[in-house]
Amino acid sequence: MNFPKDFLWGGAVAANQCEGAYDEDGKGLSVQDVAPKGWREAPTKLPTEDNLKLVGIDFYHRYQEDIRLFAEMGFKTFRLSIAWSRIFPQGDELEPNEAGLAFYDRVFDECHKYGMEPLVTLSHYETPLHLARTYDGWRSRQMIDFFEHYAKTVFTRYQDKIKYWLTFNEINSITHAPFLSGGIHTPKDELSKQDLYQAIHHELVASAKAVQACHEIIPTAQIGCMILGMPVYPLTPAPADVLAAMATERENFFFSDIQVRGAYPAYAKRFFKENGIELIMTPEDTAALKATVDFISFSYYMSTCESVDKTIEAGEGNILGGVPNPYLKASEWGWQIDPEGLRYYLNCLADRYQKPVFIVENGLGAVDELVELEDGTKTVLDDYRIDYMRDHLVQVSEAIEDGVEVMGYTSWGCIDLVSFTTAELRKRYGFIYVDRNDDGSGSLARYKKKSFNWYQEVIATNGESLVMK
Ligand code: BG6
């Protein structure tokens, strides 16, 4: 196997899906606290008891035990997000909440105790609710200043602790999930394309300003963008399908094209013209966008297809969805499994940008059964997860052989947590089983799954065990 010596093996979580403690130590509400059913349904007025994220997996109080388990697996890195509303409870204050800052000091120190580098996402679907309700999220230009202030605050505070940063998680998902991704309170069907793309523009400027601030405050750090990665194949070789696939792919590359190259891509002009979009873009915005990212990170769960035949029903999937591929099988949630798509996508990013890439999410959401072995140990025999991850990692190795500079791999939900799209607990991704169920029952105890030992060996052998029998 050809994984570089310093390959960053690890796992990933997001604050809103694991921390719980939604109103402790001065934390303000975030958009997640009023979204008990995931991204497709309208938010509630106040947090409701059926919202599993309010307790999450109680990482807020159990982070020491969890990080110790990650260290036991040999993680070199641990990707997590800072909950913006722990630092600025409303989002528009000038002074940060010290208790929130102190919590992440403790978490980062705990990682360093085991030689694990945290990889920190500034905003992972966790906009402070006040910003959504008062400013309509990224529709307001004022959000740029609020976010820049937040980013500068955490860069300054953690400058000696964090080397790797990401700005917005899956920034391209805002086109489908404007509330949870962009804090936009206006219902999706009332949001014009003009307003959506103006909001996107504000978010992209804010991302670039954070990149600039990171480079100034922590010159040794690296900061990346993060996109929802999903290769789009033409359903047939018909040229019209090929062009349709290109158009859909550009809707996603639009974001990273700006974050990596520092300016709007040429194809945006026609897209804006045909959709009646006229952006308000100041000379200061144009200058700010020139601060470009050091690397490209992305999530990868599935690929999809595109067709001009609009009678074909879209399949299930990671927010963006798409037309199902007749050659692929799907997970229990209908997400089509395509390990070779990961190699293909890694190559696409490398060819397009000539920058290092980082897979910061990948994994299988499945229903797990906790069983008791003869010696009394409880575990999950999750061979299906091992197969999924092995197949994907073998393709990562192929991409490295193709010449792609891959910085690392952090599997999604390295410990079971509340799912994003459907806000459930029975959809599990972890190497560690958490005893908590959709009805809120469970002791929150942690159990190592079979995949725990498997991943431990993968890391210990730097990937060699992937091809050993
Ligand atoms: C990505 C998100 O969309 O996919 C994560 O960045 C999310 O937050 C992950 O959890 C998997 O989606 P789900 O719905 O299965 O949790």
Side-chain angles (χ1 to χ4, degrees):
M1 281 278 142
N2 50 5
F3 291 92
K5 267 205 226 56
D6 54 356
F7 192 77
L8 290 166
W9 296 100
V13 301
N16 73 87
Q17 293 171 263
C18 71
E19 283 179 3
Y22 81 103
D23 61 353
E24 265 185 65
D25 295 333
K27 179 182 169 293
L29 295 181
S30 89
V31 288
Q32 292 291 348
D33 297 325
V34 293
K37 300 283 174 240
W39 74 276
R40 279 201 179 86
E41 296 193 21
T44 53
K45 284 211 166 58
L46 292 168
T48 48
E49 262 185 23
D50 59 341
N51 188 340
L52 294 165
K53 288 167 278 187
L54 305 187
V55 174
I57 55 157
D58 197 30
F59 178 82
Y60 193 77
H61 300 111
R62 293 166 195 251
Y63 68 90
Q64 288 170 304
E65 178 186 357
D66 295 342
I67 292 171
R68 185 177 52 70
L69 287 166
F70 301 152
E72 198 181 322
M73 272 187 278
F75 280 20
K76 313 282 182 214
T77 189
F78 171 43
R79 176 181 176 227
L80 72 169
S81 67
I82 296 178
W84 185 351
S85 65
R86 280 200 196 283
I87 311 302
F88 291 100
Q90 304 261 53
D92 55 1
E93 302 93 333
L94 289 178
E95 292 306 318
N97 170 31
E98 175 54 33
L101 287 167
F103 168 66
Y104 293 105
D105 268 323
R106 295 196 294 277
V107 171
F108 299 152
D109 290 347
E110 199 65 21
C111 292
H112 286 304
K113 191 165 116 186
Y114 299 103
M116 211 184 289
E117 258 337 309
L119 162 63
V120 177
T121 316
L122 289 169
S123 180
H124 192 130
Y125 297 148
E126 304 155 326
T127 309
L129 185 60
H130 170 76
L131 297 182
R133 292 209 172 132
T134 312
Y135 300 89
D136 215 3
W138 285 102
R139 278 193 63 198
S140 165
R141 182 169 276 277
Q142 283 172 277
M143 286 286 282
I144 301 174
D145 292 340
F146 301 146
F147 185 76
E148 191 184 9
H149 182 51
Y150 158 62
K152 283 183 170 169
T153 304
V154 295
F155 292 150
T156 306
R157 174 76 171 220
Y158 307 122
Q159 57 184 302
D160 298 325
K161 297 187 182 181
I162 306 299
K163 284 192 200 153
Y164 299 104
W165 297 88
L166 304 176
T167 61
F168 294 99
N169 183 66
E170 296 189 335
I171 188 166
N172 47 325
S173 64
I174 190 175
T175 53
H176 288 63
F179 178 64
L180 287 187
S181 177
I184 298 175
H185 208 257
T186 300
K188 194 179 165 194
D189 48 10
E190 291 168 28
L191 189 64
S192 68
K193 280 206 169 146
Q194 167 70 36
D195 290 342
L196 175 63
Y197 275 85
Q198 189 63 48
I200 289 170
H201 174 71
H202 296 151
E203 196 177 359
L204 286 165
V205 171
S207 173
K209 287 197 166 194
V211 169
Q212 173 82 25
C214 182
H215 288 156
E216 281 167 13
I217 298 170
I218 331 177
T220 51
Q222 294 188 51
I223 183 160
C225 56
M226 198 295 196
I227 51 174
L228 193 170
M230 196 185 286
V232 184
Y233 307 139
L235 185 65
T236 73
D241 276 356
V242 176
L243 284 175
M246 181 179 81
T248 302
E249 201 139 59
R250 280 179 169 176
E251 282 175 22
N252 296 310
F253 280 138
F254 171 84
F255 295 80
S256 44
D257 281 351
I258 296 169
Q259 292 176 300
V260 179
R261 295 175 177 151
Y264 276 69
Y267 59 79
K269 207 171 159 193
R270 178 169 183 177
F271 177 79
F272 288 161
K273 199 167 133 201
E274 291 182 355
N275 288 283
I277 298 166
E278 282 182 38
L279 290 188
I280 300 167
M281 195 180 320
T282 67
E284 201 213 347
D285 293 349
T286 313
L289 288 177
K290 293 201 164 62
T292 54
V293 292
D294 303 308
F295 64 94
I296 299 118
S297 81
F298 65 101
S299 60
Y300 180 80
Y301 296 92
M302 57 180 289
S303 60
T304 189
C305 291
E306 190 54 273
S307 163
V308 281
D309 181 352
K310 296 300 168 206
T311 61
I312 304 173
E313 216 177 299
E316 286 303 317
N318 186 13
I319 311 172
L320 306 182
V323 175
N325 185 330
Y327 295 94
L328 298 177
K329 295 204 174 93
S331 77
E332 288 164 281
W333 270 262
W335 297 23
Q336 290 203 296
I337 301 170
D338 181 12
E340 285 160 311
L342 177 54
R343 173 182 177 186
Y344 170 75
Y345 198 69
L346 283 163
N347 275 278
C348 290
L349 291 174
D351 289 352
R352 198 171 181 110
Y353 300 127
Q354 294 86 44
K355 292 243 182 191
V357 292
F358 202 144
I359 305 145
V360 295
E361 283 187 33
N362 172 242
L364 179 69
V367 176
D368 286 340
E369 191 195 347
L370 193 64
V371 294
E372 191 164 331
L373 302 179
E374 272 178 14
D375 63 0
T377 327
K378 285 189 179 166
T379 189
V380 175
L381 301 172
D382 55 345
D383 291 281
Y384 39 91
R385 181 166 294 110
I386 294 173
D387 290 345
Y388 177 101
M389 292 185 67
R390 181 192 298 109
D391 291 350
H392 282 77
L393 283 167
V394 165
Q395 294 302 321
V396 175
S397 159
E398 290 289 343
I400 294 172
E401 202 59 26
D402 293 333
V404 181
E405 189 182 340
V406 187
M407 293 169 68
Y409 174 93
T410 56
S411 72
W412 176 249
C414 45
I415 180 165
D416 292 348
L417 36 64
V418 184
S419 69
F420 168 68
T421 51
T422 45
E424 308 167 277
L425 270 158
R426 70 188 189 101
K427 187 180 190 188
R428 297 172 181 272
Y429 284 87
F431 303 114
I432 300 162
Y433 182 94
V434 177
D435 179 18
R436 186 157 193 253
N437 308 302
D438 283 342
D439 60 5
S441 64
S443 63
L444 286 164
R446 275 65 170 150
Y447 300 95
K448 296 175 195 171
K449 302 183 194 175
K450 187 174 177 185
S451 55
F452 183 101
N453 298 326
W454 173 82
Y455 197 46
Q456 187 181 48
E457 200 187 359
V458 171
I459 299 177
T461 60
N462 204 27
E464 288 302 325
S465 65
L466 291 168
V467 286
M468 289 180 206
K469 282 285 159 210

